[in-house]
Amino acid sequence: MSTLPTPALSAHPAHPALSALTAAAAGDGTWFERNVIKQKLVTAILETLGMTFISGALAITFGLLLGLALVTTGARGQHRNRLLYETLSQLVNFGRSMPFIILLVAIIAFTRLIVGTSIGWEAACVPLTVGAIPFYARLVENAIAEVDEGKVEAALMMGATPTQITWGVLVREALPGLISAGTVTFITLLGYSAMAGTVGGGGLGDLAIQYGHNRNWTDVIILTVVIIAIIVAVIQVAGDLLARVVDHRRR
């Protein structure tokens, strides 16, 4: 009686443990002994940080200006203009409602115009920035809405100009809230940067998809998730500390 041949480990690519054993048998270890980790992990971390902080800095800069435009043209603003406020507000709502993965594809032509390519972490910075600007602008509006109206009235009585009220009163008083909103924006962008990796954006998301998911290397997925969690924790702690430093109400 003939016996059936024992299936080879490589015949079960869907099983993570068997895949890891297969890789080890082929001379490619697991975790930090895996070649792809040795060769690509540091680069992926740097790309993710680049995407997060470059797009975050741009989004906070332009989002702050857009948020201040909403405030100054709104009901409590120094330049009330209902039509302009509603137009800007609807643009912000439209930008916030756009799913990031669709935005990523929809503005490919614009991305090529700005950076000359639609692939790589530099290209991913464009949709990340565009998507985060309306998000941060609304957070700015909400943070400034918390400023005591009496401080604005006191500044007006002392002859402050609209520019002085905007930057010297509203922004200054809302600074802890603006920093907290910036922290939320950076962390959101970090998550979106991982999503950009699924379509050639590079970074830790690309590493997790290309090698962790597609090859069933669970150690790669776990490692990228842990690193992203550490980056989130560092951003949150740094943001909280900075917000406390600038909060003069606590002194």
Side-chain angles (χ1 to χ4, degrees), residues 199-243:
V199 291
L204 290 168
D206 182 65
L207 189 70
I209 294 296
Q210 296 298 328
Y211 297 95
H213 175 71
N214 292 346
R215 303 189 185 189
N216 283 322
W217 290 350
T218 52
D219 52 334
V220 176
I221 294 179
I222 292 172
L223 197 56
T224 53
V225 169
V226 169
I227 291 172
I228 289 173
I230 291 172
I231 296 173
V232 168
V234 171
I235 293 173
Q236 186 66 61
V237 169
D240 290 345
L241 285 174
L242 187 58

Side-chain angles (χ1 to χ4, degrees), residues 164-207:
Q164 290 172 326
I165 291 173
T166 299
W167 294 98
V169 179
L170 295 178
V171 172
R172 182 174 181 274
E173 293 295 323
L175 198 53
L178 296 177
I179 292 174
S180 296
T183 304
V184 173
T185 302
F186 275 116
I187 292 175
T188 302
L189 284 169
L190 180 64
Y192 283 177
S193 73
M195 195 184 303
T198 63
V199 291
L204 290 168
D206 182 65
L207 189 70

Side-chain angles (χ1 to χ4, degrees), residues 151 172-177 179-180 240-251:
K151 294 186 177 181
R172 182 174 181 274
E173 293 295 323
L175 198 53
I179 292 174
S180 296
D240 290 345
L241 285 174
L242 187 58
R244 281 200 289 269
V245 167
V246 302
D247 190 356
H248 63 276
R249 296 168 298 184
R250 300 170 63 92
R251 297 169 189 167

